Amino acid sequence: MKYLIVGLGNIGPEYELTRHNIGFLTLDRLADQKDCKFEVSRLASHTDFKFKGRSVHLIKPTTYMNLSGKAMKFWMNELKIPKENVLVVVDDIAIPFGKLRMRGKGSSAGHNGLKNIEELTGGQNYARLKFGVGDDFPRGRQVDYVLSNFTKAEFEELPFSLDKAIDMILGFCSIGISRTMTQYND
C-alpha cells in the first residue's frame, strides 16, 4: 500500500514560518522524526519512508500554494497512488489555532491551494487534514494574516499540535480515515 501526503505551503525563506506554510512545517517535522530528507524533484520536494508495511510519500509542492494541484496530480500519477490514499495538510482560518480536523471530502472554503487541487484532480473527494491557524485579523486582511509569522505564544504551542498532526497522518495511513477522525478530531 502506498500513501501520498501533500503538505501545502509556499517555497522561499520569507514564507517558512508563516501560518500558510503549516503543511510544509508538519511534513518537515514528520520527515525529521522518520530520519528522511527531502530532495527537490519534479514540481515538489519529495521523501518517503516505510510505516507498518506501507510506503508513505511526502511532498511539498514547489509550485507555490495556488498551483498545488499540479504537483499533487503529477505525484499521484507518477507513484500510481489512488485519490483515496492521498491526504492534504492545509491551514484553516475557520478553526482555532492548534486545533486539527480531518475530513474525507469538502469544499475549498476559498482556499486557493484547495481550489487548484479540486480543478486539477476532479472534485472535492480527497482527504484533508485541516490545521487551525485562527482568524485574529481585521476584515479584509486575511492574506496578510496567513502570510505572517506565528506569534511567540503560538510558536511555543506549535510542537504539540504538529505532533498530533503527525499522529493523525500516520493514523490515516494505518487505521484509515474513519477511525483516525473518531480518535483525533478536535
Side-chain angles (χ1 to χ4, degrees):
M1 287 276 268
K2 288 196 266 186
Y3 291 84
L4 179 62
I5 312 302
V6 183
L8 298 191
N10 285 309
I11 56 172
E14 68 272 28
Y15 298 111
E16 189 174 359
L17 296 176
T18 64
R19 291 171 176 85
H20 222 25
N21 267 35
I22 201 65
F24 280 16
L25 293 170
T26 303
L27 267 53
D28 285 340
R29 190 167 177 96
L30 176 54
D32 285 348
Q33 288 181 8
K34 296 298 180 185
D35 200 29
C36 51
K37 303 277 181 243
F38 281 96
E39 292 183 16
V40 176
S41 191
R42 185 112 184 258
L43 302 176
S45 293
H46 170 258
T47 192
D48 61 85
F49 61 90
K50 297 282 188 214
F51 179 72
K52 295 189 176 184
R54 293 151 171 90
S55 294
V56 181
H57 294 266
L58 309 178
I59 65 164
K60 299 185 303 180
T62 55
T63 55
Y64 286 99
M65 180 70 76
N66 296 355
L67 298 175
S68 299
K70 188 174 181 181
M72 181 171 144
K73 183 177 181 179
F74 171 82
W75 283 93
M76 284 173 63
N77 292 335
E78 178 75 9
L79 298 169
K80 296 176 178 46
I81 297 177
K83 209 177 203 183
E84 59 267 16
N85 287 6
V86 176
L87 176 66
V88 176
V89 183
V90 62
D91 61 296
D92 194 315
I93 58 170
I95 300 173
F97 174 80
K99 300 292 182 192
L100 296 153
R101 294 199 188 119
M102 188 175 284
R103 296 284 184 259
K105 61 183 177 180
S107 80
S108 66
H111 193 288
N112 290 327
L114 297 181
K115 279 184 195 173
N116 187 250
I117 287 170
E118 289 173 14
E119 288 170 18
L120 296 180
T121 65
Q124 302 174 349
N125 289 339
Y126 61 91
R128 72 273 328 260
L129 175 55
K130 298 173 168 193
F131 200 116
V133 295
D135 63 356
D136 188 20
F137 57 89
R139 186 174 174 91
R141 305 298 297 192
Q142 176 178 332
V143 171
D144 295 334
Y145 178 74
V146 297
L147 293 178
S148 67
N149 290 338
F150 294 101
T151 66
K152 186 176 186 300
E154 288 171 337
F155 202 71
E156 288 171 4
E157 289 295 317
L158 203 52
F160 304 104
S161 297
L162 289 170
D163 287 342
K164 183 176 177 185
I166 288 168
D167 289 343
M168 293 174 80
I169 290 167
L170 296 176
F172 173 81
C173 297
S174 59
I175 61 173
I177 190 167
S178 296
R179 286 179 59 197
T180 301
M181 290 190 316
T182 301
Q183 188 170 341
Y184 290 103
N185 273 356
D186 286 328

